Amino acid sequence: MKDTCLILPVGITKATVEGLLRHEELRNTSCVITVLIKDEDKEELMKVKREILDALRTLAEFMGAEFYEIWTKFKDESLSRKIFEILLVHKPKLVIVGTFTGSRYVLLPIILSVLWYQKVYRDCTVRVIHGVEGNGWSIEPLRGYLTTDLTKAQLRIFKLIYSLKKDEIKTKEELMLQYNFGRSIYKVLRALKEKGLVEWRRNKIKKTFSGKLLYNLLICLEGRG
C-alpha cells in the first residue's frame, strides 16, 4: 500500500518543487497534501504560490498520486493547531518542510507540529528542504532545526504569561513580585524576547503573534495527552 506525503512549502520555489520529482523517497506516495499560507493582499506573491501548487500537482500526477491543497491565513493564530490536526487526520508517512524563506514565526509552530507528530508516530519520516535559493538545495533529516528549545524555566514563564488575560499582563517587576520569582526572571525574559516570544514596551510585557502560535500549539498537545 502506498503512503501519504505531506508537504509544507514555506518559502520554497517552483524550481525546488520540480526537483522533488526526482527524489526517491516520494516514489511510493499515493496522496500528496500541501499546506500554504494565503496572503491575498499580495497578488504577485499569490501568483508565485499558484505556480508552486501547479508544480506540486504535476508532481502528484507524475507519481500517480491524488493531490490536495489546503490554504490557511497568514495571521491565523490557530495555524499550528490546524497543521497538527492535518497530521493527525491524514497520518502521512513522509513529511517535507520547506525552510527557504517565509516568516520564521510561521515556520516555527509548523516544525514543532512535525516534531511532535514524529514523536507520536515513530514510523513517520520527516525531511527538511534545506539550502539557499539560487545556490542549490537538499532534503535533510529534521535535526537541529527546532528554534524554540525552551528550558524548563523559560517554558514555565512563557506559559504563565500567555495564560494571563490581556489586562493582566504585568511589568517585569510586577511579575517577579506577584509570583515570587528571583532576579533570574530578567534573564528568562530576555531569552524569550530573543526568540520572539515576548516583547515589552515601557517595561510592560507584551504577547507576540509568534508566542500565540506556540502557546496554542502547546495547549493542543497537552490536550492530546
Side-chain angles (χ1 to χ4, degrees), residues 111-127:
I111 289 183
L112 276 173
S113 303
V114 172
L115 282 174
W116 180 257
Y117 186 82
Q118 185 182 36
K119 178 179 178 181
V120 176
Y121 300 96
R122 299 289 183 179
D123 56 348
C124 176
T125 300
V126 183
R127 295 285 185 260

Side-chain angles (χ1 to χ4, degrees), residues 76-171:
D76 183 358
E77 293 176 6
S78 64
L79 171 61
S80 52
R81 177 182 58 78
K82 289 180 178 179
I83 298 296
F84 182 69
E85 293 295 336
I86 291 169
L87 290 166
L88 289 178
V89 170
H90 295 284
K91 297 180 174 60
K93 296 296 183 181
L94 174 63
V95 177
I96 300 177
V97 184
T99 61
F100 275 105
T101 59
S103 174
R104 289 300 178 263
Y105 57 73
V106 172
L107 182 61
L108 174 155
I110 291 175
I111 289 183
L112 276 173
S113 303
V114 172
L115 282 174
W116 180 257
Y117 186 82
Q118 185 182 36
K119 178 179 178 181
V120 176
Y121 300 96
R122 299 289 183 179
D123 56 348
C124 176
T125 300
V126 183
R127 295 285 185 260
V128 172
I129 304 173
H130 177 62
V132 179
E133 289 178 282
N135 292 326
W137 58 277
S138 60
I139 297 181
E140 307 290 348
L142 185 64
R143 291 195 300 261
Y145 289 92
L146 183 56
T147 58
T148 54
D149 49 344
L150 301 179
T151 64
K152 288 183 178 180
Q154 291 168 1
L155 184 59
R156 178 189 176 196
I157 301 302
F158 170 76
K159 291 173 72 174
L160 171 62
I161 291 171
Y162 278 82
S163 67
L164 298 173
K165 295 180 180 178
K166 185 176 181 180
D167 57 356
E168 292 178 320
I169 300 297
K170 306 296 182 181
T171 65

